[in-house]
PDB file of all heavy atoms in Angstrom:
ATOM      1  N   TRP A 164     -42.853  68.309  -8.054  1.00 80.00           N
ATOM      2  CA  TRP A 164     -44.056  67.964  -8.767  1.00 80.00           C
ATOM      3  C   TRP A 164     -44.864  69.201  -9.089  1.00 80.00           C
ATOM      4  O   TRP A 164     -44.691  70.233  -8.472  1.00 80.00           O
ATOM      5  CB  TRP A 164     -44.825  66.881  -8.041  1.00 80.00           C
ATOM      6  CG  TRP A 164     -45.494  67.258  -6.755  1.00 80.00           C
ATOM      7  CD1 TRP A 164     -44.954  67.968  -5.723  1.00 80.00           C
ATOM      8  CD2 TRP A 164     -46.794  66.914  -6.374  1.00 80.00           C
ATOM      9  NE1 TRP A 164     -45.868  68.063  -4.729  1.00 80.00           N
ATOM     10  CE2 TRP A 164     -47.011  67.422  -5.078  1.00 80.00           C
ATOM     11  CE3 TRP A 164     -47.816  66.201  -6.969  1.00 80.00           C
ATOM     12  CZ2 TRP A 164     -48.193  67.274  -4.394  1.00 80.00           C
ATOM     13  CZ3 TRP A 164     -48.988  66.035  -6.287  1.00 80.00           C
ATOM     14  CH2 TRP A 164     -49.171  66.558  -5.022  1.00 80.00           C
ATOM     15  N   THR A 222     -48.200  60.680  -8.365  1.00 86.00           N
ATOM     16  CA  THR A 222     -49.326  61.247  -9.100  1.00 86.00           C
ATOM     17  C   THR A 222     -50.345  61.931  -8.192  1.00 86.00           C
ATOM     18  O   THR A 222     -51.293  62.534  -8.692  1.00 86.00           O
ATOM     19  CB  THR A 222     -50.063  60.164  -9.908  1.00 86.00           C
ATOM     20  OG1 THR A 222     -50.451  59.118  -9.025  1.00 86.00           O
ATOM     21  CG2 THR A 222     -49.173  59.606 -10.996  1.00 86.00           C
ATOM     22  N   ASP A 223     -50.182  61.818  -6.852  1.00 84.00           N
ATOM     23  CA  ASP A 223     -51.052  62.570  -5.959  1.00 84.00           C
ATOM     24  C   ASP A 223     -50.381  62.802  -4.611  1.00 84.00           C
ATOM     25  O   ASP A 223     -49.323  62.251  -4.331  1.00 84.00           O
ATOM     26  CB  ASP A 223     -52.421  61.901  -5.796  1.00 84.00           C
ATOM     27  CG  ASP A 223     -52.357  60.551  -5.110  1.00 84.00           C
ATOM     28  OD1 ASP A 223     -51.289  60.156  -4.645  1.00 84.00           O
ATOM     29  OD2 ASP A 223     -53.409  59.888  -5.048  1.00 84.00           O
ATOM     30  N   GLN A 224     -51.002  63.640  -3.813  1.00 85.00           N
ATOM     31  CA  GLN A 224     -50.412  64.049  -2.527  1.00 85.00           C
ATOM     32  C   GLN A 224     -50.272  62.900  -1.547  1.00 85.00           C
ATOM     33  O   GLN A 224     -49.341  62.879  -0.750  1.00 85.00           O
ATOM     34  CB  GLN A 224     -51.266  65.170  -1.906  1.00 85.00           C
ATOM     35  CG  GLN A 224     -50.691  65.749  -0.633  1.00 85.00           C
ATOM     36  CD  GLN A 224     -49.332  66.394  -0.812  1.00 85.00           C
ATOM     37  OE1 GLN A 224     -49.077  67.027  -1.834  1.00 85.00           O
ATOM     38  NE2 GLN A 224     -48.459  66.239   0.159  1.00 85.00           N
ATOM     39  N   SER A 225     -51.151  61.920  -1.605  1.00 89.00           N
ATOM     40  CA  SER A 225     -51.052  60.792  -0.666  1.00 89.00           C
ATOM     41  C   SER A 225     -49.771  59.974  -0.903  1.00 89.00           C
ATOM     42  O   SER A 225     -49.169  59.471   0.055  1.00 89.00           O
ATOM     43  CB  SER A 225     -52.280  59.890  -0.775  1.00 89.00           C
ATOM     44  OG  SER A 225     -52.341  59.278  -2.036  1.00 89.00           O
ATOM     45  N   GLN A 226     -49.333  59.855  -2.138  1.00 89.00           N
ATOM     46  CA  GLN A 226     -48.084  59.162  -2.421  1.00 89.00           C
ATOM     47  C   GLN A 226     -46.894  59.939  -1.874  1.00 89.00           C
ATOM     48  O   GLN A 226     -45.958  59.353  -1.349  1.00 89.00           O
ATOM     49  CB  GLN A 226     -47.916  58.933  -3.922  1.00 89.00           C
ATOM     50  CG  GLN A 226     -48.907  57.960  -4.501  1.00 89.00           C
ATOM     51  CD  GLN A 226     -48.789  57.861  -6.007  1.00 89.00           C
ATOM     52  OE1 GLN A 226     -48.279  58.752  -6.672  1.00 89.00           O
ATOM     53  NE2 GLN A 226     -49.290  56.770  -6.552  1.00 89.00           N
ATOM     54  N   VAL A 227     -46.930  61.262  -1.977  1.00 89.00           N
ATOM     55  CA  VAL A 227     -45.863  62.096  -1.436  1.00 89.00           C
ATOM     56  C   VAL A 227     -45.803  61.952   0.086  1.00 89.00           C
ATOM     57  O   VAL A 227     -44.722  61.775   0.656  1.00 89.00           O
ATOM     58  CB  VAL A 227     -46.071  63.576  -1.841  1.00 89.00           C
ATOM     59  CG1 VAL A 227     -45.038  64.477  -1.183  1.00 89.00           C
ATOM     60  CG2 VAL A 227     -46.025  63.725  -3.345  1.00 89.00           C
ATOM     61  N   THR A 228     -46.946  61.968   0.729  1.00 90.00           N
ATOM     62  CA  THR A 228     -47.016  61.809   2.190  1.00 90.00           C
ATOM     63  C   THR A 228     -46.473  60.453   2.599  1.00 90.00           C
ATOM     64  O   THR A 228     -45.748  60.341   3.590  1.00 90.00           O
ATOM     65  CB  THR A 228     -48.467  61.981   2.660  1.00 90.00           C
ATOM     66  OG1 THR A 228     -48.953  63.243   2.234  1.00 90.00           O
ATOM     67  CG2 THR A 228     -48.573  61.877   4.174  1.00 90.00           C
ATOM     68  N   TYR A 229     -46.806  59.405   1.852  1.00 92.00           N
ATOM     69  CA  TYR A 229     -46.328  58.058   2.172  1.00 92.00           C
ATOM     70  C   TYR A 229     -44.805  57.969   2.093  1.00 92.00           C
ATOM     71  O   TYR A 229     -44.168  57.377   2.956  1.00 92.00           O
ATOM     72  CB  TYR A 229     -46.982  57.050   1.222  1.00 92.00           C
ATOM     73  CG  TYR A 229     -46.553  55.625   1.478  1.00 92.00           C
ATOM     74  CD1 TYR A 229     -46.964  54.958   2.621  1.00 92.00           C
ATOM     75  CD2 TYR A 229     -45.723  54.963   0.583  1.00 92.00           C
ATOM     76  CE1 TYR A 229     -46.570  53.649   2.862  1.00 92.00           C
ATOM     77  CE2 TYR A 229     -45.324  53.666   0.813  1.00 92.00           C
ATOM     78  CZ  TYR A 229     -45.737  53.015   1.957  1.00 92.00           C
ATOM     79  OH  TYR A 229     -45.329  51.729   2.190  1.00 92.00           O
ATOM     80  N   VAL A 230     -44.211  58.580   1.070  1.00 91.00           N
ATOM     81  CA  VAL A 230     -42.749  58.561   0.944  1.00 91.00           C
ATOM     82  C   VAL A 230     -42.107  59.325   2.112  1.00 91.00           C
ATOM     83  O   VAL A 230     -41.125  58.856   2.700  1.00 91.00           O
ATOM     84  CB  VAL A 230     -42.300  59.160  -0.409  1.00 91.00           C
ATOM     85  CG1 VAL A 230     -40.788  59.342  -0.452  1.00 91.00           C
ATOM     86  CG2 VAL A 230     -42.750  58.278  -1.557  1.00 91.00           C
ATOM     87  N   GLN A 232     -43.344  59.660   5.120  1.00 92.00           N
ATOM     88  CA  GLN A 232     -43.482  58.827   6.308  1.00 92.00           C
ATOM     89  C   GLN A 232     -42.457  57.716   6.329  1.00 92.00           C
ATOM     90  O   GLN A 232     -41.870  57.423   7.387  1.00 92.00           O
ATOM     91  CB  GLN A 232     -44.905  58.238   6.376  1.00 92.00           C
ATOM     92  CG  GLN A 232     -45.973  59.235   6.692  1.00 92.00           C
ATOM     93  CD  GLN A 232     -47.371  58.650   6.576  1.00 92.00           C
ATOM     94  OE1 GLN A 232     -47.572  57.588   6.008  1.00 92.00           O
ATOM     95  NE2 GLN A 232     -48.351  59.381   7.106  1.00 92.00           N
TER      96      GLN A 232
END
Side-chain angles (χ1 to χ4, degrees):
W164 70 314
T222 56
D223 65 7
Q224 184 62 37
S225 65
Q226 293 175 338
V227 175
T228 304
Y229 180 70
V230 171
Q232 289 172 346

